[in-house]
Amino acid sequence: MWELYEEEKAKLKMFLSKQCERVCLTTDTWTSIQNLNYMSLTAHFIDNDWKLQKKILNFSQTTGYSGELIAKHVEACLNNWELKRVLSITVDNATTNDVGVQYLKRRMLSWNCLVLKGEYVHMRCCAHILSLIVKEGLKEIKDSISKIRSAVKYVKSSPARFARFKACVEQERISYKGIVSLDVETRWNSTYLMLEASLKYKDAFVLLDMQDKKF
């Protein structure tokens, strides 16, 4: 497997050297359920045939989330790939990333590879900004969301409870066939899907409340 990795890496390095004039980087970090920190680095670029390419350059474990630490990981990866023609770096809208990008900007200025002296190298992830806005708005109805989340969690916690819920759906003759699923609290779009499905099954939840004393 390691030999295959090295072989494919050599092919990709050759492809980048011939097909990539300027690269836009995206990087993200997260913590696994084992409480381990990971970082990914992806390169986006237009090849010689004007096709958008996306290549994962790195996926590795890190010892922390500090801006400079992440920046040094990115720097080491770029050196490893011999890739220094960076146009922009897109990161989440966080203070630690501000520190990290400033470090990378200083390093890349020393490489003399930035456009317009790196004035526009730092790009803030629009999806992350939108997520922050929506989460702030959801705080206005957090009590209602919490109650709905508890209701969904109850009916999904065992096959017997879910069977009783399905029986209520049939009694209320609800034609909606979507799945009611528990959301991931850090993903607002999953909360939206949970609320959307729960609203369709509102009458079934009301009936379940009448029939199941534990609900």
Side-chain angles (χ1 to χ4, degrees):
M1 288 180 67
W2 185 254
E3 288 178 359
L4 178 61
Y5 167 76
E6 290 292 344
E7 182 181 330
E8 292 300 318
K9 181 179 179 181
K11 289 179 182 178
L12 180 54
K13 186 178 285 189
M14 180 64 69
F15 181 79
L16 290 170
S17 67
K18 294 182 177 180
Q19 295 279 341
C20 177
E21 288 297 325
R22 283 281 168 181
V23 63
C24 296
L25 301 173
T26 57
T27 183
D28 197 11
T29 55
W30 67 95
T31 304
S32 71
I33 58 174
Q34 295 87 7
N35 205 33
L36 298 175
N37 302 325
Y38 290 93
M39 185 199 83
S40 66
L41 182 68
T42 307
H44 310 261
F45 60 94
I46 304 294
D47 66 17
N48 295 342
D49 295 321
W50 288 91
K51 293 182 179 178
L52 178 62
Q53 299 283 345
K54 181 177 73 172
K55 304 294 183 183
I56 297 174
L57 302 180
N58 187 44
F59 181 90
S60 61
Q61 191 175 337
T62 65
T63 55
Y65 287 154
S66 73
E68 190 167 325
L69 177 66
I70 297 302
K72 287 181 177 178
H73 270 281
V74 173
E75 180 187 6
C77 184
L78 291 176
N79 285 328
N80 183 257
W81 284 93
E82 299 174 11
L83 189 63
K84 296 185 177 181
R85 302 174 304 280
V86 176
L87 181 64
S88 66
I89 305 171
T90 302
V91 291
D92 284 350
N93 191 39
T95 305
T96 54
N97 286 329
D98 293 345
V99 175
V101 172
Q102 285 304 310
Y103 172 88
L104 285 169
K105 183 178 177 180
R106 290 194 300 271
R107 293 297 296 132
M108 287 187 283
L109 281 171
S110 70
W111 300 342
N112 195 30
C113 66
L114 291 178
V115 175
L116 297 174
K117 296 183 179 180
E119 185 177 354
Y120 302 106
V121 71
H122 186 182
M123 303 297 292
R124 301 177 188 275
C125 178
C126 292
H128 184 249
I129 293 171
L130 176 62
S131 179
L132 293 175
I133 294 170
V134 174
K135 286 178 183 177
E136 194 65 28
L138 288 175
K139 289 180 182 178
E140 297 295 320
I141 54 170
K142 62 179 182 179
D143 292 338
S144 297
I145 292 175
S146 179
K147 290 176 182 178
I148 293 172
R149 184 179 291 123
S150 296
V152 173
K153 187 175 183 179
Y154 180 86
V155 300
K156 298 285 286 187
S157 61
S158 75
R161 288 177 177 179
F162 190 61
R164 287 197 292 272
F165 176 71
K166 287 180 67 176
C168 291
V169 172
E170 292 176 2
Q171 287 184 54
E172 292 294 338
R173 297 180 179 179
I174 297 173
S175 59
Y176 180 67
K177 300 299 181 183
I179 299 173
V180 60
S181 57
L182 194 63
D183 69 332
V184 179
E185 293 185 39
T186 57
R187 301 291 181 182
W188 67 267
N189 53 322
S190 71
T191 301
Y192 170 81
L193 293 173
M194 178 187 72
L195 296 176
E196 182 183 44
S198 298
L199 186 61
K200 302 284 188 181
Y201 290 119
K202 178 181 176 181
D203 292 340
F205 280 114
V206 172
L207 183 58
L208 183 67
D209 184 43
M210 297 171 62
Q211 296 181 357
D212 188 343
K213 294 181 180 179
K214 293 182 180 180
F215 177 63

